[in-house]
Amino acid sequence: MNTSGFDFDSRTISALSSLESDGRIPHAIIIEGSDREKTLAAAKFLSMYAVCTSEQKPCAVCNQCHKAMNAAHADIYYAQPEGKSGGYSIKQLRKIIDDAYIKPNEADAKVYILADAENRLSAVQQNALLKLIEEPPKNVVFIFTCENSRNFLITIRSRCTVIRLRNEHSFDEDVCSFARKIIEGMLSSKEYDLLKSLTVLSKKDKADDVLSVVTLILRDGLMLLSGGKPKTDAELGRQLSLSFNKRKIMELIEVTEDAKTKIAQYININLLTTWLCGEYRRISWQR
Ligand SMILES: [Zn+2]
């Protein structure tokens, strides 16, 4: 993903990048975060990604990107609350539902951005959207922003891909220390060290955060290899940059993000740990 033109921190870039697979993003995305400006910028970025016609999406230079950047694209709809108590109205949602089945005007995709959705969509309204989100027309993308995705109906939330944008440096110290152990495991020659460090993933409430910090430290290594400054852990970043080349670190980031997605899908955690250990080993040891 090309995030130039957007002032995203490394954690946001990591969260956004985790959405991309085979040059596509999911059709229903919930962006969660306490910083409204940041969640809206992420929504705009993803709308650009959806309509961009270049291979390196979003290119920020094509006509589609330009219009998306200026929030003036005919196929990107920013829902403005029209309801009585500052929420979205049923009439408005019906319009969106009907419109979603009509072909895009000029792009290959249509994007609907519903900001502050947790406060603006009642349970009834969420239910009205359910079928559309369950079986969306081709190339339609729904982006909801919110402060807490748990306020959505579980039926909606489970059909969306949720990303969390946190403020920098907001991870607990124990989360960071678990993440450091995993990186040390990658750098160690003993498989046991790595496997042991990964047992933390069985703590469901920690796993996602720990892997997020692992990605951040890996990015430090990448940064140092590109002549940039590390942001999370300078020492481990330095060790990574001495032990691995760029390609390897990028692969390590990729499997880490993969593991996060798998954890969100509630797969068997023991199998996941074994798989991840194998992948980390394969990448670190290959020539
Ligand atoms: Zn473009």
Side-chain angles (χ1 to χ4, degrees):
M1 277 186 169
N2 164 24
T3 56
S4 59
F6 286 84
D7 185 23
F8 291 141
D9 54 63
S10 59
R11 201 170 291 166
T12 303
I13 294 174
S14 150
L16 290 169
S17 305
S18 70
L19 290 173
E20 186 184 37
S21 154
D22 286 333
R24 299 180 68 91
I25 50 172
H27 72 273
I29 301 165
I30 294 177
I31 306 173
E32 178 187 284
S34 53
D35 183 340
R36 189 167 186 273
E37 223 169 281
K38 201 187 224 177
T39 53
L40 283 177
K44 181 184 267 188
F45 171 80
L46 291 172
S47 74
M48 247 168 98
Y49 184 100
V51 297
C52 177
T53 50
S54 304
E55 245 170 52
Q56 264 294 340
K57 291 179 199 178
C59 69
V61 289
C62 76
N63 199 13
Q64 305 288 324
C65 276
H66 265 287
K67 289 181 182 171
M69 190 69 153
N70 297 320
H73 195 297
D75 294 314
I76 300 173
Y77 176 74
Y78 286 84
Q80 299 301 333
E82 292 173 1
K84 277 180 200 143
S85 47
Y88 298 121
S89 70
I90 273 284
K91 193 174 146 209
Q92 178 177 21
L93 289 178
R94 289 224 180 88
K95 240 196 236 167
I96 292 181
I97 294 167
D98 290 343
D99 185 71
Y101 291 96
I102 302 169
K103 276 194 183 165
N105 295 293
E106 52 172 306
D108 290 332
K110 263 187 170 179
V111 185
Y112 299 91
I113 298 175
L114 285 82
D116 308 321
E118 59 187 337
N119 301 322
R120 291 173 174 174
L121 287 172
S122 66
V124 174
Q125 293 172 331
Q126 290 182 45
N127 272 323
L129 284 176
L130 191 58
K131 193 174 171 291
L132 186 60
I133 288 173
E134 223 166 10
E135 291 168 45
K138 220 175 139 227
N139 298 334
V140 165
V141 178
F142 276 92
I143 302 173
F144 303 98
T145 72
C146 67
E147 263 192 52
N148 186 352
S149 63
R150 303 211 169 269
N151 293 337
F152 281 95
L153 295 181
I154 178 87
T155 43
I156 289 276
R157 200 173 75 222
S158 63
R159 284 165 181 84
C160 295
T161 305
V162 181
I163 59 164
R164 295 181 182 87
L165 306 186
R166 292 197 176 80
N167 296 327
E168 290 278 298
H169 311 299
S170 65
F171 288 116
D172 297 345
E173 186 40 47
D174 61 332
V175 163
C176 296
S177 119
F178 284 128
R180 282 198 288 269
K181 287 238 161 60
I182 294 176
I183 299 281
E184 283 162 6
M186 284 180 205
L187 292 160
S188 162
S189 56
K190 296 188 199 108
E191 179 164 6
Y192 176 73
D193 291 347
L194 180 58
L195 199 55
K196 196 170 149 229
S197 71
L198 289 170
T199 52
V200 64
L201 300 183
S202 61
K203 296 182 189 178
K204 274 232 158 92
D205 55 326
K206 295 253 187 292
D208 190 76
D209 281 359
V210 169
L211 289 178
S212 299
V213 178
V214 167
T215 295
L216 289 173
I217 301 175
L218 286 167
R219 284 195 184 278
D220 278 348
L222 210 53
M223 247 342 182
L224 285 161
L225 283 171
S226 317
K229 271 194 189 155
K231 290 183 176 171
T232 309
D233 192 311
E235 175 48 30
L236 282 177
R238 193 186 63 84
Q239 290 185 37
L240 284 167
S241 70
L242 292 175
S243 304
F244 305 134
N245 60 21
K246 274 192 199 173
R247 182 181 51 83
K248 277 193 187 183
I249 297 184
M250 268 149 69
E251 273 186 61
L252 290 167
I253 291 174
E254 225 167 88
V255 296
T256 306
E257 291 302 316
D258 241 16
K260 274 166 69 180
T261 314
K262 290 196 164 96
I263 288 173
Q265 292 161 346
Y266 301 105
I267 80 152
N268 179 311
I269 208 75
N270 290 327
L271 286 179
L272 177 105
T273 308
T274 316
W275 169 81
L276 189 58
C277 184
E279 285 296 283
Y280 280 159
R281 291 262 299 172
R282 177 183 65 74
I283 298 163
S284 337
W285 285 58
Q286 76 195 352
R287 287 183 179 272

